[in-house]
Amino acid sequence: MQATAAVLNQPNGPFSIEQVDVAEPLAGEIRVAIKAVGICHTDLVIASGAMGLQFPAVLGHEGAGIVDAVGEGVTDIKAGDKVLLTFNSCGACKPCSHDEPAYCNHFVPLNMVAVRGDGSTRITRDGQPVSDNFFGQSSFATLAIANQRNVLKVDDDADLSVLAPLGCGIQTGAGGVLRSLAAKPGESLVVLGAGAVGLSALLGGLIAECSAVIVVEPQESRRALATELGATHVLDGQGDVAAAVRAILPEGADMVIDTSGFMPVVEQSVNMIANRGRIGLLGVPGSLDAVLPVPVVQFITQGGTVRGIIEGDSDPHVFLPELIAHHKAGRLPIERFSKSYRLEDINQAIDDAHHGKAIKAILLID
Ligand code: CXF
Ligand code: ZN
């Protein structure tokens, strides 16, 4: 079936709005008419080609829409259902069978490579293959092929233009605090970075009833927004950030979550934590060689923990409904940091994101 897609023909774009063909869904697959799709930083990292993306390609992994057709064996989702799309997982490996699909042994090939294991694509242009299946969806398009495991049915009255980014950025930030670091009432939290993931981490800390949430962010307007959303303190990230944290929390913070990947500040996190403090890393640094030096004796003495986090440890079929309930109750006001664009304006949306004019850009399709 014909569809319109934002096709990436070369590294870093621009994305070009083109007609493509999307195949019928095969067994276990679900074809979705995309109505909204968020832009995540990972789309832009992969668009650079540095991770080996084959061009042309269709990216996009925060899709939301209405089911158009289902393949053989799909019983729990039907045409007409409203759905959110999220990351894919195999469902069969050890992490998947322990309800940890974000650490699926096949996460990279199922989500990051943008072609299937057998090299086939469900998107073609003039009969030639287009890399698709990015995060099991490739949703910068009017139609996307997803899979049973990465599709979540939502209520008919769900506002997809708001909820689309739950499938990656929002669950990553909120889940990083609520699930990965298991924040408890009365604990203190430092959030490094106030992009969509960082602000979601802040909101996760407020949902968990943390007593102090300190947001570290160089952009003044984002610090102001963090304060409006409920941050108890904001810091601009200049100078000795650990000392600034300790001026607020003399014993250090119970949790530090990095959403920035900015290593000069991340490196200071080991000096920000209290005894038994937990550090969560989810911001991807610009270099694959980035290292976090840990002063071993100090860290032993502190009983510290540092861990990597993907997708906020989400089990999407459990966690996304919880996030939707938080949003309904006003505890996850994503609208406060989202900006809508039309799919055709994807390059403008990316430019705005680069220049700090959009925190979470969401592309809408009629
Ligand atoms: C990504 C971050 C890099 C590792 C895989 C998951 N998260 C979402 O975009
Ligand atoms: Zn993402």
Side-chain angles (χ1 to χ4, degrees), residues 28-315:
E29 292 180 343
I30 297 167
R31 191 167 64 193
V32 179
I34 298 295
K35 297 294 167 195
V37 50
I39 298 178
C40 172
H41 182 63
T42 304
D43 291 306
L44 310 181
V45 172
I46 296 299
S48 75
M51 312 294 269
L53 181 66
Q54 302 286 305
F55 300 93
V58 176
L59 300 178
H61 65 284
E62 291 183 343
I66 296 175
V67 173
D68 162 68
V70 301
E72 201 188 310
V74 177
T75 50
D76 49 349
I77 299 272
K78 58 182 188 318
D81 283 350
K82 258 190 185 179
V83 292
L84 294 184
L85 308 186
T86 184
F87 65 91
N88 201 9
S89 56
C90 79
C93 67
K94 193 170 161 192
C96 281
S97 52
H98 286 81
D99 301 325
E100 298 220 283
Y103 303 98
C104 171
N105 287 344
H106 307 285
F107 187 94
V108 171
L110 286 175
N111 290 285
M112 306 297 281
V113 178
V115 285
R116 291 172 182 76
D118 62 2
S120 69
T121 71
R122 302 279 183 277
I123 303 183
T124 51
R125 183 181 60 188
D126 301 328
Q128 298 301 310
V130 174
S131 295
D132 77 325
N133 201 34
F134 184 56
F135 276 75
Q137 51 182 289
S138 288
S139 44
F140 288 158
T142 56
L143 284 176
I145 299 274
N147 311 273
Q148 273 178 299
R149 281 187 63 80
N150 70 325
V151 172
L152 177 88
K153 180 175 164 22
V154 295
D155 289 345
D156 290 343
D157 64 355
D159 187 347
L160 301 179
S161 68
V162 173
L163 298 180
L166 289 187
C168 185
I170 311 298
Q171 75 179 349
T172 296
V177 171
L178 290 167
R179 294 176 66 94
S180 317
L181 297 183
K184 292 184 277 302
E187 288 196 309
S188 54
L189 169 68
V190 176
V191 179
L192 306 180
V197 176
L199 293 173
S200 302
L202 156 66
L203 296 172
L206 299 177
I207 289 169
E209 297 176 16
C210 289
S211 54
V213 184
I214 303 172
V215 173
V216 182
E217 162 62 46
Q219 273 187 47
E220 207 282 322
S221 58
R222 292 188 179 191
R223 288 199 299 279
L225 180 56
T227 303
E228 279 175 31
L229 289 173
T232 56
H233 307 78
V234 289
L235 298 171
D236 65 8
Q238 303 303 309
D240 188 340
V241 184
V245 166
R246 283 181 178 276
I248 300 164
L249 301 168
E251 292 185 11
D254 297 307
M255 298 168 286
V256 177
I257 191 150
D258 176 58
T259 71
S260 74
F262 183 62
M263 294 315 291
V265 176
V266 180
E267 283 170 11
Q268 299 182 52
S269 59
V270 290
N271 292 324
M272 294 179 198
I273 54 165
N275 286 354
R276 303 298 280 124
R278 294 102 74 197
I279 298 170
L281 303 178
L282 49 79
V284 181
S287 162
L288 285 177
D289 300 326
V291 261
L292 176 64
V294 173
V296 177
V297 176
Q298 173 189 320
F299 213 63
I300 290 172
T301 314
Q302 289 173 309
T305 302
V306 59
R307 57 156 298 191
I309 297 168
I310 286 190
E311 298 286 344
D313 290 5
S314 179
D315 182 352

